[in-house]
Amino acid sequence: MSATVAGYVITKQRQPEVEGLLDLSKFDAQLRPYGFVDPKRFWPKNTVIPVCWDNPEAVTASTRDLVRRAIADSWESAANVEFAPNWGACANPDSPGIHIFWKDDPRGAGSLIGNRLDRSPRAKGMRLNPTFLNWRKACQSNVELCIQATATHEFGHAIGLNHESLRNDAPASCKNNPDVLADTSQTTDTDTLGTPYDDKSIMNYCNKMVADQTTLSEGDIKVAQIMYGPPLK
């Protein structure tokens, strides 16, 4: 059984009431060893986060299913974070949850961080690339793989993660990477001091595999579990 509160499904098997955001006083010491997170942007605990497509007609149903499976196999499998099972067309611009907009944008894919995505329509929310004709053109040799990798990275942002490569303790070789130098992501509220650097993170621009990486690093999994708890199923 479940109940709906402010547009979100609260699963009674998990918790019968909305508990709000995580009490960071309990987790700060654990958060610091892993990842690069924005604590203010976590989603409420024990909710099923709605997801909808702003322009589903831009891609085939199989492509949309590919993205859904990629998130189920990564973030949902790693931690107690759950997105709605069925992602349909957004009913209106104010529909609750994450709005995904398909666009072959030369600027690439993109996403706001965590709960800032709530009710952010079209290109203001999450943007995924369906064809790679104008960005990462090498992906045209394996579009499906790149869609999976990009979606997994962007949903890392969706749960509250920023780019690992923007950490203050990233090595100089990473800080001087052209992609990192061009990265304008805001890091003002991000928790990083004294944390080990994860060169294998799917959120790291300096990870040479990130363009076609569809699996999470050990550090990605650990921080996701600290943020939201271990998976329940």
Side-chain angles (χ1 to χ4, degrees), residues 54-55 57 93 99-102 120-127:
D54 272 323
N55 57 338
E57 71 284 352
H99 292 228
I100 303 176
F101 183 64
W102 290 100
S120 295
R122 300 188 74 80
K124 294 180 180 179
M126 182 184 293
R127 183 178 65 251

Side-chain angles (χ1 to χ4, degrees), residues 10 21 34 51 63-64 88 100 115-116 130 132 138 146 154 159 165 226 229:
I10 313 303
L21 298 179
Y34 309 107
V51 181
T63 299
R64 298 194 298 272
I100 303 176
N115 58 27
R116 288 186 64 199
F132 299 93
C146 285
E154 298 306 333
I159 69 168
S165 38
I226 292 168

Side-chain angles (χ1 to χ4, degrees), residues 85-135:
N86 299 311
W87 301 359
C90 299
N92 55 68
D94 195 41
S95 294
I98 298 170
H99 292 228
I100 303 176
F101 183 64
W102 290 100
K103 184 177 181 181
D104 186 10
D105 193 319
R107 297 172 299 171
S111 177
L112 297 174
I113 302 294
N115 58 27
R116 288 186 64 199
L117 282 166
D118 191 23
R119 305 171 194 268
S120 295
R122 300 188 74 80
K124 294 180 180 179
M126 182 184 293
R127 183 178 65 251
L128 295 180
N129 193 307
T131 60
F132 299 93
L133 295 175
N134 294 297
W135 176 66

Side-chain angles (χ1 to χ4, degrees), residues 43-62:
W43 293 87
K45 294 172 64 179
N46 305 304
T47 64
V48 178
I49 304 167
V51 181
C52 64
W53 306 101
D54 272 323
N55 57 338
E57 71 284 352
V59 298
T60 63
S62 61

Side-chain angles (χ1 to χ4, degrees), residues 104-106 129-147 149-150 208 210-212:
D104 186 10
D105 193 319
N129 193 307
T131 60
F132 299 93
L133 295 175
N134 294 297
W135 176 66
R136 285 187 178 171
K137 295 182 180 180
C139 280
Q140 292 178 46
S141 63
N142 197 337
V143 171
E144 287 193 358
L145 177 65
C146 285
I147 286 175
T150 302
K208 294 181 179 179
V210 74
D212 55 8

